Amino acid sequence: MSSYVGVVVSDPWLHSQFTQVELRTLKSKFNSNKTLLDRFTVGDLPPVLAKLNAFSGTFDEDEIKSVLDKSYSNTSDQEVDFETFLRAYLSVQARGVEKSGGSKASSSSFLKTSTTTVHHAINESEKASYVSHVNSYLRDDPFLKSYLPIDPATNAFFDLVKDGVLLCKLINLAVPGTIDERAINTKKILNPWERNENLTLGLNSAKAIGCTVVNIGTQDIAEGRPYLVLGLISQIIKIQMLADLNFKKTPSLFQLVDDTQDAEELMGLAPEKVLLKWMNFHLKKAGYEKQVTNFSSDVKDGEAYAYLLNALAPEHSSHVALETKDPTERAKKVLEQAEKMDCKRYLSPKDIVDGSANLNLAFVAQIFQHRNGLTDDSSKSTSFAEMMTDDVETSREERYTESNVSEDATDEGDANSVTGEISNLSLDEASESSPIVQDQELLTKADEDKDEVDGDGENNNDA
């Protein structure tokens, strides 16, 4: 088996400006145009670059020619190699950033600009939260415990993820049994082939449980690119935190609806939408007059949290948080109250006030896990369950499949989609439909077949 080798650029700085997915896409464009034009020159660059999705609708040929003339004014007949093509691309991209007022998030941009490497612009609070999560949930793992705890103030987290073991372990935490752990290479020192096997297994499995893995490849993880790594890890942890937000795990969720039609609609919602519905269910009963529609601006004053915790844990109830006028002080009181419910502190008061969507979602999900406040009305849950058909579950799986087919067909999508919404496929369905299923049954069946063969060498080999 040969190891995967990414696109290599001789200039280290130039190489660092692109992910492997970007390099492969641009390499493909370069090769196709070189074949088509026979002799690919600087003069051919404007029409070629203007057709790229990254610049379509932002630049026309004349604008691109104007940008390139600053660097290639007297070299229109010079033949273009791949590195020249990349530098021309970065020049136009940099002009695009200036044109959009310095925004790196324009729809026409890739992940990086020619002057700023976005992979350093990571959310340190989220990084610290994910490191804390790993330290807590994997501290007893036979292989990883020798590397834990990780210091969030260092880059040890990104170094540890490079061999793919941590990625695979987190996936099995999110959806147990997705990966047969015997397939994970867990030696102290892995060769390139073994490391690539782990990373390929991890990425395929991440996609199987519902993560968006567009614009990230094995080479990006092997290089420990912080922005891409955190984007993928956040999705996996999000799936784990929302694992109970389905009717198989928590039948009492049927209390959020009044009839079968509402139940069907609820079953069709993404887990985070169900979590919002659950939160508003309790807030309404607690007398909170507003509707929470997101985990950012609607919770940043901490007031909704104060009402929610008072409703779910009256034994720890305190009106101090509600009476506090300063949002930061109120957020401190809210976290103190949550800790009394044994909720781990994965976010800070500042994260609440700043409206960090990912961390606030994880906080609410953790409250749900510890105390959802729903009574075990088995008669109502059973009644709704019996009236449900498989149509809703089937349509959700179809939407998940269509979503992934669409992602696979997109070569040059928005790089920020790596941190996009998780598929509506339920976690139980993801586990059941995963192509990376455990091969325990296959191995057992093979052993049984082998025992049944009475010395026939050929049949033994087939078994």
Side-chain angles (χ1 to χ4, degrees), residues 90-107:
L90 290 177
S91 297
V92 178
Q93 187 183 63
R95 177 68 186 108
V97 172
E98 295 173 6
K99 190 175 180 180
S100 62
S103 171
K104 302 182 187 71
S106 64
S107 61

Side-chain angles (χ1 to χ4, degrees), residues 100-119:
S100 62
S103 171
K104 302 182 187 71
S106 64
S107 61
S108 64
S109 68
F110 265 113
L111 189 63
K112 300 175 180 64
T113 71
S114 63
T115 57
T116 305
T117 51
V118 179
H119 64 273

Side-chain angles (χ1 to χ4, degrees), residues 3 27 43 51 75 121 131 159 192 238 246 267 285-286 316 323 342 393 418 425-426 433 458:
S3 171
K27 183 72 170 180
K51 292 178 182 178
T75 56
V131 168
D159 292 333
K238 183 178 179 182
N246 63 76
M267 290 176 69
K285 293 202 308 183
H316 303 308
E323 294 169 356
D342 294 327
E393 296 297 322
V418 73
L425 178 66
S426 73
S433 63
E458 181 178 350

Side-chain angles (χ1 to χ4, degrees), residues 280 283-284 287-292 298 301 303:
N280 283 307
L283 289 176
K284 184 177 180 180
Y288 188 67
E289 298 179 353
K290 302 175 185 177
Q291 184 87 357
V292 176
D298 286 358
D301 62 1
E303 190 175 354

Side-chain angles (χ1 to χ4, degrees), residues 415-435:
N416 290 328
S417 65
V418 73
T419 56
E421 290 295 324
I422 296 177
S423 166
N424 283 343
L425 178 66
S426 73
L427 301 179
D428 289 319
E429 291 169 334
S431 179
E432 292 169 4
S433 63
S434 168

Side-chain angles (χ1 to χ4, degrees), residues 1-12:
M1 176 181 177
S2 60
S3 171
Y4 166 77
V5 179
V7 177
V8 178
V9 179
S10 60
D11 184 336

